Amino acid sequence: MPIPAANDPQSLRQAVLDHMHVGMTNQTILAEEGGPLLMESAEGIYVTDVEGNKYIDGISGMYFRNAGHGREEIAKAIYDQLTNVSMNVYSGATPKTIQLAAKLAEITPGGLSRTFFCQGGSEANESSLKMAQAYHVRRGEKGRYKVISRRGSYHGSTYGTMWLGGHPGFPRIDYQPKPANVVTVGQPHYYHDEYGANSPEENGERAAKEIEQAILFEGPESVSAVIGEPVSQPLGGVVPPSNYWPMVREICEKYGVLLVFDEVITGFGRLGEWFGADFVRVTPDIMSFAKGITSGYFPVGGSISTQKIADAFAGGPDKVWSHMYTYSAHPGGAAAAFANLAILERESLVANARARGEQVTESLKEMKAKHPIIGDTRGVGLIQGIEFVKDRETREHFDASLGVNAMLTEELRKRGVWIRVPAYILPIAPPLTITPDETDTLLNVIDEALGAVESRLGI
Ligand SMILES: Cc1ncc(COP(=O)(O)O)c(C=O)c1O
């Protein structure tokens, strides 16, 4: 088959079916859905495909496009950087990346101060957990290798990260066995309380205590770290009660276990605070970040730790942290990050995420009163979600064979909103640039799409 022309949608659609693995789908499903979105241009919160259809991007690409689409100044910053210094040499560093590390030390909370850079979220979590384990080894605690993570979370798709947590939409049936270092516990989620709690606070307290029980059961001397997202996206923006993370922090301190925050989605403004750590008022020992640091204009991730952790790797050759990726600390990525952070600051996008988040929360409450299909609405800032259920009382989900999520995806698309709806949660996470009017438009479409799905289901 000849290489398809960029302006020939039909050949492109055939070629994608013939020649690509597109993430988390396959050619049969794509063919049924009419192919992936073939994006031709994008501006602000909108993406336009090669046939001229324009959609609101309801999940910021994949929770990364914080500064919105079409930012020429980020593209130009990358160009200017690459035409000057385009990459490191082995064990080198470029001025732009050094400056970015210093900037991150300034804007992240608490004593986080030293960064290892990589290319994305999975690598960031791999790096954070390797850093945690190596830290313990340098301090003479070689037995601390286990990682406690929480059901419902998602921390990446590499072998070392995919068994952490347990994303309902990310089955791991092909990849056995579960690594021996992974310990799994629950997380606070009052709507689906698994602890018999009578309040969100009690749910939070019991979830924190489950972590303590797991540490004691495994043996504290074998546990390296607890990893979690300050606010968890896969379950639809589950905001833990305010007692949870401070309790987990205390438990970690008590048993010498490190706390790792996965801020791949929550970092850089999405919650209406610069970081999830600011929102939950707890500073981790290590923070993983990616996505929003460049708004996806260049693949950058990283792990930033406190000085205490970093100091374990100072000294002779036996102290060196043996970890690297060829493209770590790419100056093009640093240039993209600087340009992106300048936009977030100049346009007060973190404050906008907070204000638009309040607008979304209010509107979702109204929708819940109107649509029997809505079981719960939750979230904060621009990471919110609607959980749709068959039965509000039992909180039971629709049978997967009904394809309610696909129906919702279709009804949203027909009305100009691009959100690929997973299992039973409609995520709402537009770019942080969204205006009040655009937010209303997005919410009206969601309202109408829910109504259309209810009609199709005869509700
Ligand atoms: C919270 C979280 N951590 C880690 C990852 C993995 O990041 P990446 O896909 O860049 O490897 C993701 C990706 O969606 C994520 O949402």
Side-chain angles (χ1 to χ4, degrees):
M1 185 187 177
I3 293 175
N7 61 358
D8 178 354
Q10 216 164 343
S11 305
L12 288 168
R13 285 196 199 290
Q14 191 54 51
V16 77
L17 300 181
D18 292 343
H19 299 299
M20 271 184 78
H21 285 289
V22 178
M24 293 306 289
T25 185
N26 65 28
Q27 51 272 54
T28 315
I29 297 170
L30 281 175
E32 280 167 9
E33 287 180 359
L37 186 144
L38 300 177
M39 202 196 293
E40 189 176 66
S41 64
E43 188 65 37
I45 63 160
Y46 298 98
V47 294
T48 304
D49 71 13
V50 289
E51 278 130 348
N53 303 304
K54 191 173 170 183
Y55 302 95
I56 292 178
D57 177 0
I59 57 161
S60 302
M62 201 185 166
Y63 308 98
F64 57 73
R65 196 120 282 191
N66 292 14
H69 294 277
R71 293 289 192 171
E72 263 183 54
E73 79 184 82
I74 305 182
K76 185 161 184 318
I78 299 168
Y79 175 85
D80 289 346
Q81 180 61 49
L82 297 193
T83 45
N84 179 15
V85 175
S86 60
M87 192 40 199
N88 272 320
V89 292
Y90 180 50
S91 292
T94 58
K96 206 56 165 191
T97 328
I98 298 167
Q99 287 172 333
L100 179 61
K103 173 82 178 170
L104 289 172
E106 190 185 287
I107 64 172
T108 52
L112 297 170
S113 67
R114 191 182 292 257
T115 298
F116 171 80
F117 288 106
C118 57
Q119 289 80 242
S122 307
E123 287 179 0
N125 285 324
E126 291 267 0
S127 303
S128 296
L129 296 176
K130 284 176 75 174
M131 188 190 286
Q133 192 177 349
Y135 163 83
H136 292 301
V137 173
R138 294 299 175 286
R139 288 164 36 97
E141 294 196 85
K142 287 192 180 164
R144 285 190 184 265
Y145 67 93
K146 291 178 189 164
V147 179
I148 297 178
S149 69
R150 305 155 337 130
R151 276 189 295 285
S153 293
Y154 179 68
H155 297 298
S157 64
T158 55
Y159 214 107
T161 57
M162 75 179 166
W163 275 98
L164 301 167
H167 187 321
F170 199 87
R172 293 162 297 203
I173 43 171
D174 295 330
Y175 311 109
Q176 303 289 341
K178 177 180 177 180
N181 67 329
V182 175
V183 177
T184 316
V185 296
Q187 64 176 294
H189 188 8
Y190 192 50
Y191 184 69
H192 288 296
D193 172 51
E194 41 179 307
Y195 302 104
N198 292 310
S199 67
E201 288 65 35
E202 197 184 345
N203 176 259
E205 187 182 326
R206 293 199 182 175
K209 285 202 171 133
E210 194 190 353
I211 291 182
E212 182 166 31
Q213 281 155 9
I215 293 173
L216 290 171
F217 179 79
E218 297 292 331
E221 68 290 346
S222 74
V223 182
S224 170
V226 170
I227 185 169
E229 318 93 315
V231 169
S232 174
Q233 177 280 320
L235 298 174
V238 176
V239 181
S242 59
N243 58 342
Y244 174 71
W245 281 118
M247 273 188 79
V248 175
R249 172 83 264 184
E250 232 173 77
I251 291 164
C252 286
E253 297 279 336
K254 187 168 163 192
Y255 297 105
V257 171
L258 298 184
L259 180 60
V260 176
F261 270 177
D262 176 346
E263 295 240 22
V264 168
I265 288 183
T266 55
F268 304 98
R270 187 153 288 283
L271 303 185
E273 295 275 358
W274 269 93
F275 293 92
D278 297 315
F279 178 72
V280 300
R281 300 185 187 286
V282 163
T283 307
D285 299 290
I286 304 172
M287 176 197 285
S288 306
F289 60 84
K291 301 193 191 257
I293 187 170
T294 63
S295 288
Y297 285 83
F298 205 99
V300 173
S303 307
I304 183 165
S305 81
T306 59
Q307 202 56 41
K308 179 182 95 173
I309 309 294
D311 283 348
F313 305 113
D318 59 325
K319 298 285 186 188
V320 171
W321 181 35
S322 47
H323 180 60
M324 60 160 271
Y325 301 105
T326 299
Y327 300 120
S328 285
H330 199 297
F338 260 108
N340 175 60
L341 295 177
I343 293 170
L344 296 185
E345 284 169 354
R346 190 178 69 227
E347 299 183 9
S348 303
L349 294 183
V350 181
N352 191 54
R354 191 178 320 142
R356 300 288 70 74
E358 285 163 11
Q359 190 180 344
V360 173
T361 304
E362 278 311 303
S363 165
L364 293 188
K365 272 191 212 151
E366 286 166 23
M367 279 190 226
K368 188 176 171 190
K370 197 164 133 189
H371 294 288
I373 198 179
I374 298 182
D376 190 33
T377 61
R378 48 183 177 256
V380 62
L382 291 178
I383 172 171
Q384 307 221 16
I386 295 176
E387 180 164 339
F388 42 97
V389 291
K390 183 167 125 189
D391 183 331
R392 269 193 181 167
E393 278 296 303
T394 62
R395 304 182 177 186
E396 198 189 334
H397 297 127
F398 289 97
D399 196 286
S401 63
L402 278 176
V404 178
N405 57 330
M407 278 185 214
L408 202 39
T409 300
E410 191 189 327
E411 296 297 338
L412 289 166
R413 253 173 230 185
K414 273 195 221 162
R415 293 167 175 80
V417 166
W418 193 272
I419 300 176
R420 196 156 189 267
V421 182
Y424 46 81
I425 284 161
L426 166 61
I428 304 168
L432 276 46
T433 53
I434 194 165
T435 65
D437 285 350
E438 289 170 339
T439 307
D440 277 340
T441 305
L442 170 62
L443 292 163
N444 287 338
V445 168
I446 290 172
D447 190 6
E448 279 180 26
L450 287 165
V453 168
E454 283 169 339
S455 301
R456 282 170 71 171
L457 292 168
I459 293 170

